[in-house]
Amino acid sequence: MSYSKNEVLIKVENVSLQLDGKPILHNVNFDITNIKRPDMSQGQVVSLIGRSGIGKTQLFKILAGINKPTTGTVLLGADQVPVQAGMVGIVPQNYVLFNHRTIRGNWLIAMERSGMSEADKEKLMQDYAKHFDLADHLDKFPMQLSGGQRQRVSIIQQVLTGNKYILLDEPFSGLDAVMVDRVTALLLKVSLLDEQNTLIIVSHDIESAVAISDCVYLLGKPNAAQGATITQTYDLCSMGLAWQADIRKKPEFQRLLNDIREGI
Ligand SMILES: Nc1ncnc2c1ncn2[C@@H]1O[C@H](COP(=O)(O)OP(=O)(O)O)[C@@H](O)[C@H]1O
Ligand SMILES: [Mg+2]
């Protein structure tokens, strides 16, 4: 499949983190580059995989600009500006929507600064709701939806803000298999909406994350006295395993999963 990797969109440089004197992250380095495919608006989907407690959520907060690392930087965009809270869309684990607002109300907040007319906002919301099986739920409150529905509402909310970069912490956790498939389908669709769209998935669910990623980084702890670092990089584009709807059926994919399971 023909593609090229172009400019760096996100650069994570020498990120280390200590909490209460305890090393959590050690020298984390990786780049996310803009992928181009002929005649397609191909965004990027990158996964950071690691065991529970390894430091994924801490890294998530640093990538989001919510927490500062002890050392190192996260740079965004063509002009490589240091990340600050609000520059990246985030879907934290067990994300809580505004519970006193309906789904429509939640989505309208996301579009407050869009400059769109009310009619255009309504049309866009209807489109998303229709596409993602939420059409009957726009007037409901978050607590009236299932976990998978809430997760989709949260992801779409971030898309509606116009953020090109969206970070997700454990987006598949607590969902049954059908809902995982629907969330996965939504993420894939978001990645194709805009060539600059970049999804960063932080997860311990190896299969779901790897199946939709073009690049996978493993977070591990090769040295027990130090924090977690990137121990392995899998470029699924060059392995011929990116962008394939039936990837789960391929033996190469199953071999890769085994490899990853042994490596983390
Ligand atoms: N506020 C905190 N102060 C000190 N240590 C923390 C704090 N929050 C998390 N940790 C520790 O950081 C490590 C990584 O946690 P976390 O990033 O939540 O892991 P993961 O998301 O991979 O399951 C854990 O050992 C956890 O105990
Ligand atoms: Mg976590």
Side-chain angles (χ1 to χ4, degrees):
M1 215 173 297
S2 130
Y3 69 93
S4 62
K5 289 204 169 186
N6 299 273
E7 75 279 8
V8 173
L9 297 175
I10 299 180
K11 189 170 196 65
V12 179
E13 240 175 2
N14 299 327
V15 164
S16 295
L17 177 72
Q18 295 190 8
L19 291 176
D20 307 329
K22 196 174 109 185
I24 308 287
L25 299 170
H26 176 72
N27 227 358
V28 174
N29 285 282
F30 65 93
D31 288 349
I32 298 178
T33 46
N34 191 3
I35 294 172
K36 300 210 172 172
R37 287 169 74 192
D39 306 320
M40 280 195 78
S41 76
Q42 179 68 59
Q44 296 62 240
V45 184
V46 170
S47 287
L48 288 155
I49 305 277
R51 263 182 282 156
S52 204
I54 197 88
K56 298 185 298 298
T57 295
Q58 293 300 327
L59 182 56
F60 170 90
K61 288 179 179 169
I62 291 169
L63 296 175
I66 300 167
N67 286 354
K68 291 264 164 284
T70 310
T71 62
T73 48
V74 176
L75 304 170
L76 282 193
D79 33 3
Q80 298 281 286
V81 281
V83 70
Q84 284 179 20
M87 289 165 70
V88 181
I90 55 168
V91 182
Q93 192 170 11
N94 308 318
Y95 185 60
V96 198
L97 294 153
F98 292 105
N99 279 324
H100 58 291
R101 291 181 194 254
T102 61
I103 304 315
R104 180 183 273 104
N106 272 279
W107 283 358
L108 280 171
I109 298 173
M111 291 185 287
E112 253 169 10
R113 282 183 279 170
S114 66
M116 272 190 275
S117 71
E118 294 310 308
D120 284 349
K121 287 182 195 171
E122 183 60 30
K123 173 155 192 324
L124 192 59
M125 288 191 292
Q126 298 281 357
D127 282 352
Y128 273 105
K130 200 170 117 208
H131 251 96
F132 298 107
D133 268 348
L134 295 164
D136 296 335
H137 305 300
L138 277 176
D139 294 313
K140 291 187 181 163
F141 291 90
M143 295 318 278
Q144 295 172 294
L145 303 185
S146 73
Q149 289 167 335
R150 279 203 296 271
Q151 185 70 299
R152 299 206 303 282
V153 168
S154 304
I155 295 166
I156 293 167
Q157 186 183 42
Q158 293 307 314
V159 175
L160 291 174
T161 63
N163 264 317
K164 301 282 186 250
Y165 305 121
I166 301 179
L167 262 165
L168 304 108
D169 194 1
E170 304 286 1
F172 314 111
S173 78
L175 306 182
D176 63 36
V178 174
M179 285 300 170
V180 168
D181 284 348
R182 292 205 182 165
V183 168
T184 303
L186 169 58
L187 292 175
L188 278 179
K189 224 159 203 172
V190 170
S191 77
L192 294 169
L193 282 177
D194 188 302
E195 185 237 316
Q196 296 273 330
N197 276 2
T198 303
L199 301 173
I200 306 175
I201 297 167
V202 164
S203 180
H204 72 274
D205 181 339
I206 300 171
E207 178 165 350
S208 302
V210 175
I212 59 167
S213 295
D214 55 72
C215 193
V216 173
Y217 293 103
L218 297 195
L219 265 182
K221 230 183 239 189
N223 181 339
Q226 290 177 342
T229 195
I230 306 281
T231 52
Q232 191 67 257
T233 301
Y234 296 96
D235 180 346
L236 275 73
C237 307
S238 69
M239 297 166 83
L241 292 175
W243 314 309
Q244 300 186 32
D246 55 353
I247 186 78
R248 284 166 206 255
K249 294 188 201 131
K250 300 214 165 178
E252 307 95 278
F253 177 70
Q254 294 302 331
R255 275 199 294 275
L256 171 62
L257 293 185
N258 287 338
D259 242 39
I260 293 176
R261 288 192 184 109
E262 279 167 23
I264 66 166

